[in-house]
Amino acid sequence: MRTIRPLALAAAGALALTACGGGGESVDTGGGGGGDNVLTAAVAAQPDQFDPHVTSAYPSFQVLENVYDTLVVPNAEDLTMEPSLATDWEVSDDGLTWTFNLREDVTFHDGSEFDAADVVYSYNRIIDEELNNAYRFSTVESVEAVDPQTVEITVSQPTPNLPALIGAFKGMSILPEGAAEEYDLTTEAVGTGPFTLESSDASSTELAAYEDYWGGAPSIDGVEFRYITEPAAALTALENGEVQWTDNIPPQQIESLAGDDAVELATTPSVDYWYMSMNYAREPFGNPLVRQAIATAIDRGAVTEAARFGAAQPNQTAIPEDSFYYYDYAPFEPSVEEATALLQQAGVQTPITMGLMVTDEFPETVTAAQVIASQLEPIGIDVDVQTVDFATWLDRQAQGDFDAFLLGWLGNIDPFDYYHAQHITGGSSNYQGYSNPEVDRLLNEAATETDEDARKELYDQAAKLIVDDVSYLYLYNPDVVQAWVPGLEGYQIRADKAINFEDVTLP
């Protein structure tokens, strides 16, 4: 029997599942969300919801990173997996049985004690309900509690990246047993992390320090995530002391801010990629020659410069250049003549109208779309840049209500994260409707290959087909850029963009 303490969530019912619109909003100049020892962070967009197993929105994970825990977690330096709710783990000689030993004396925010039953419940919820990340368990045959402090995961084939699959991000969070039945997880949160979810509305989300956190009580009393869509407004709020941290920085000001004593600016290469994808169910975009024409007409260097002002590297594949798994493949050279010839070969009559869905809560998508529109016009494609709020963007993506869209995949750790769910037939993130049996074979083999060199070769072959087919039209790998007030200590910028505030101290 679990002992439950009511969650402190005074304004959870006010959580709006529609994201803020952009452009020129006023900034609340009030204090840091409820006290001098509360960190106020300016972010571009609000969460769509708080269920870690259901949401796929980065604005949600910015908050959930501080509320929930996973069994293992990426190390801040090199993103290798290290202990979190599991203190250690081992794999059998045949690679089919993984044993995780769990941390003792851990409690959830509702007062219940963490044990193996919570892990079994959380993973089986994802698997049984076929939630967003069920594909990460594609080789898992069972998740069992050996005893209250030990979990055993049995796989059908060797799965060398299992720790990364279950620990790469908070979509694999551990919930208390029965949480989905006891709480409305879209508006409530019950984790084991350093902060509790206190309230959320259309302007901000507030967290409070969890004094019983297993890693030690946070240094600050709480965090307010304040939604400031316009980067210039977020930077102004930081410079004026209205907020103490932001990742919403105008790209064109990054270089000048590097020498500005009024802010602390940090950058690091990311594990993210930004891309465009077209709906195969909407003609003529189901025609590979049309997609290749568009890929040939786009100048990725110009798009990258306009969107990021040098704080990114153009790339025609997903994985950044400094990774072991980087694949140096760039078949598309910008050419109006070649793009036009491909459209003629496709037998398509121009002009073509293409709706390109973006969101002003990620302003670089709007800028990139405008450049892409200018590049496609000479080949007879009229781009209708459709700027919507992020909640609408997510809904239209899920419904297949788009010709094309532009966004990014963030926080990728393993090559599986970069390619699998997005491009395998029927994948949970394959919104474009791509299907190539050879890609399916390569991705499935790569997922269970234990030799790293052989695994890279499989992913290289898959990436070549994905790029040639223009399942995704890859654009660039951005840098992580964040800034905070001088004197703020204990924060570490990370390549996976995970935002951890438990060790922060304010000036």
Side-chain angles (χ1 to χ4, degrees):
M1 179 69 68
R2 294 170 57 241
T3 302
I4 304 297
R5 182 172 71 227
L7 288 173
L9 199 60
L15 173 67
L17 296 184
T18 57
C20 302
E25 73 274 26
S26 62
V27 177
D28 179 4
T29 59
D36 293 337
N37 201 33
V38 171
L39 170 69
T40 304
V43 294
Q46 72 182 97
D48 68 327
Q49 60 163 298
F50 291 120
D51 189 334
H53 296 165
V54 174
T55 184
S56 60
Y58 177 66
S60 295
F61 289 118
Q62 286 182 299
V63 174
L64 298 177
E65 183 69 34
N66 295 276
V67 174
Y68 283 102
D69 288 313
T70 45
L71 282 192
V72 298
V73 68
N75 177 280
E77 298 292 341
D78 61 8
L79 303 184
T80 57
M81 294 299 128
E82 64 181 19
S84 183
L85 290 178
T87 56
D88 57 85
W89 56 95
E90 61 183 12
V91 61
S92 60
D93 291 340
D94 62 6
L96 300 180
T97 303
W98 291 76
T99 303
F100 293 84
N101 297 310
L102 305 184
R103 192 175 300 277
E104 298 182 355
D105 301 320
V106 175
T107 59
F108 289 95
H109 299 159
D110 63 2
S112 59
E113 295 185 359
F114 161 72
D115 64 21
D118 303 308
V119 180
V120 173
Y121 167 79
S122 298
Y123 289 171
N124 282 339
R125 180 187 182 226
I126 296 171
I127 295 168
D128 295 344
E129 297 183 25
E130 299 181 354
L131 301 179
N132 270 348
N133 298 303
Y135 70 94
R136 291 176 172 267
F137 292 107
S138 60
T139 64
V140 171
E141 291 192 332
S142 65
V143 183
E144 298 178 349
V146 177
D147 59 48
Q149 299 306 127
T150 310
V151 169
E152 189 173 272
I153 299 178
T154 303
V155 293
S156 58
Q157 302 176 69
T159 309
N161 61 329
L162 183 68
L165 291 175
I166 64 174
F169 76 122
K170 292 303 187 284
M172 306 301 292
S173 293
I174 304 303
L175 311 177
E177 185 178 10
E181 293 73 43
E182 295 179 35
Y183 302 106
D184 179 2
L185 294 175
T186 63
T187 61
E188 297 176 287
V190 53
T192 56
F195 296 93
T196 61
L197 176 63
E198 292 296 302
S199 66
S200 188
D201 58 28
S203 62
S204 67
T205 294
E206 295 188 4
L207 309 181
Y210 182 48
E211 297 299 324
D212 295 327
Y213 175 52
W214 58 266
S219 303
I220 53 178
D221 295 334
V223 180
E224 178 192 0
F225 289 91
R226 191 176 298 177
Y227 316 132
I228 304 178
T229 300
E230 177 57 46
L235 178 59
T236 297
L238 180 71
E239 292 173 331
N240 291 345
E242 299 158 14
V243 304
Q244 291 84 47
W245 181 98
T246 188
D247 62 351
N248 193 14
I249 298 162
Q252 65 270 29
Q253 293 187 241
I254 292 172
E255 186 174 348
S256 63
L257 286 172
D260 187 347
D261 293 338
V263 301
E264 293 283 345
L265 182 78
T267 66
T268 191
S270 79
V271 293
D272 306 342
Y273 65 87
W274 291 73
Y275 68 102
M276 189 178 95
S277 189
M278 289 162 271
N279 188 345
Y280 283 37
R282 295 269 184 97
E283 292 302 334
F285 309 109
N287 187 324
L289 291 172
V290 173
R291 297 194 303 274
Q292 290 166 2
I294 291 170
T296 301
I298 291 176
D299 182 342
R300 289 160 185 77
V303 173
T304 303
E305 180 62 25
R308 299 290 301 185
F309 289 85
Q313 296 73 45
N315 193 359
Q316 293 193 32
T317 60
I319 300 177
E321 189 172 352
D322 58 358
S323 168
F324 170 79
Y325 287 98
Y326 170 68
Y327 177 41
D328 186 8
Y329 183 60
F332 299 110
E333 287 291 332
S335 169
V336 171
E337 292 76 15
E338 289 185 23
T340 302
L342 284 166
L343 284 180
Q344 291 172 347
Q345 187 180 345
V348 172
Q349 292 290 108
T350 56
I352 300 167
T353 298
M354 181 179 76
L356 181 53
M357 184 173 68
V358 295
T359 174
D360 55 4
E361 290 166 61
F362 292 96
E364 66 191 271
T365 66
V366 180
T367 304
Q370 291 166 344
V371 176
I372 288 170
S374 70
Q375 294 174 347
L376 295 185
E377 185 178 9
I379 67 168
I381 297 179
D382 296 327
V383 177
D384 174 21
V385 178
Q386 300 169 350
T387 305
V388 298
D389 62 73
F390 193 43
T392 300
W393 191 101
L394 290 169
D395 183 63
R396 287 183 56 184
Q397 179 198 48
Q399 299 300 321
D401 182 19
F402 61 89
D403 292 338
F405 63 73
L406 197 156
L407 203 66
W409 270 94
L410 315 180
N412 309 287
I413 304 294
D414 187 80
F416 184 95
D417 301 331
Y418 285 92
Y419 291 120
H420 198 95
Q422 300 91 328
H423 305 290
I424 201 162
T425 300
S428 60
S429 298
N430 186 348
Y431 297 104
Q432 68 274 26
Y434 177 63
S435 181
N436 183 325
E438 180 63 7
V439 169
D440 292 349
R441 182 188 70 80
L442 291 165
L443 291 179
N444 283 323
E445 286 188 19
T448 58
E449 176 57 61
T450 57
D451 180 85
E452 194 170 36
D453 290 329
R455 192 167 186 245
K456 182 183 187 306
E457 177 60 27
L458 289 166
Y459 277 117
D460 286 353
Q461 293 177 46
K464 183 179 187 303
L465 292 173
I466 289 165
V467 171
D468 288 347
D469 292 342
V470 198
S471 176
Y472 275 9
L473 196 164
Y474 296 103
L475 296 169
Y476 57 82
N477 301 115
D479 295 339
V480 182
V481 182
Q482 299 170 351
W484 50 87
V485 294
L488 184 148
E489 297 181 352
Y491 179 78
Q492 184 170 4
I493 190 171
R494 299 170 53 111
D496 62 355
K497 293 188 74 175
I499 296 170
N500 304 117
F501 288 136
E502 63 263 33
D503 295 325
V504 165
T505 57
L506 298 177

